[in-house]
Structure formats: C-alpha cells, structure tokens
Amino acid sequence: MAAIRLLELLILLAILSGFLGMLLRRNLLLKVLSMDVMGSAVVALFVLVAARTGLRSPILSTNETAVSLAAIADPIPQGVILTAIVIGISIQALLLVVISRLASIDPVLDVASFESDAPSTGTQR
C-alpha cells in the first residue's frame, strides 16, 4: 500500500472518530474536543491534497526550469488551510467561553440537563 493511501486512510479514520465523538458523547466539553479532532483531520486532508502535486513552495525565481515547475505545491489548498485553521480556532474559543458559562449552571455539562425544559416560575392559567 502506498504511503499516501495509508495517510488518507488514517486521516479519514480521524475524521470519522471526531464525527462519532460529536454524535455519541453527552458531555459538551468532549463534543468540542471531538469537533477539534475532526477539524484538525480535515486540515491534514487539505495538506495532503496540496502535497500531491509537489512539495516545493510556489515561490519562483527568474531562472526556474520547466522540470522544477512540475514539483510545486498547489497554493490554493494552502490558502484554504490557513483559513480553516483560523476559523477552527475562533469557533473553538467561542464554544469554550460558552461552555465555561454553562458550567456555572451545571458543572456536569451533560447535554440532557440543558435540553430539558425548566419549570416555569409563574402560575399557569
């Protein structure tokens, strides 16, 4: 099995494990951790896709030959990778702030405790 295929398989397993963690875990902090694993695996997948065409950076000098032009990495996935990293970190920071606020209400951070309707304080008519 080629090394690229093995890396693709490992990355897809990491994406699947992060997705299953988001679905199956009841703790909000573990859900955020699973989302981070899945996001990191997606970034790794983009890195792998960008490295298929070559490993050299796309910065060219004036005396580059046609042979060396074929081994240049694609710059478009690299831009997508940087954007995905920034968006992933900002979403994770926002979720951790929300979870820290929710921890003051219920320190267990179980999803079921936040889904149930709280009893109303007013009288019913």
Side-chain angles (χ1 to χ4, degrees):
M1 179 183 276
I4 296 290
R5 294 289 179 206
L6 183 62
L7 284 174
E8 286 176 350
L9 179 66
L10 290 174
I11 289 171
L12 290 176
L13 284 175
I15 291 172
L16 182 65
S17 67
F19 184 70
L20 287 176
M22 286 179 61
L23 289 178
L24 300 177
R25 296 293 175 195
R26 302 295 295 170
N27 190 331
L28 290 176
L29 197 58
L30 291 177
K31 283 185 180 280
V32 170
L33 184 65
S34 298
M35 188 184 75
D36 186 44
V37 166
M38 194 168 81
S40 297
V42 168
V43 167
L45 183 66
F46 274 114
V47 168
L48 190 64
V49 166
R52 281 190 179 188
T53 57
L55 297 176
R56 293 193 54 220
S57 64
I59 300 171
L60 301 177
S61 63
T62 56
N63 56 1
E64 293 291 329
T65 62
V67 175
S68 65
L69 289 177
I72 292 178
D74 190 11
I76 301 298
Q78 292 178 2
V80 173
I81 291 166
L82 289 174
T83 306
I85 290 171
V86 170
I87 290 172
I89 289 173
S90 62
I91 288 174
Q92 185 180 11
L94 179 67
L95 286 175
L96 290 176
V97 167
V98 169
I99 286 175
S100 68
R101 291 290 194 158
L102 289 174
S104 64
I105 298 170
D106 183 17
V108 177
L109 292 174
D110 190 39
V111 175
S113 65
F114 297 112
E115 288 177 349
S116 63
D117 291 335
S120 62
T121 57
T123 59
Q124 293 182 352
R125 295 185 183 189

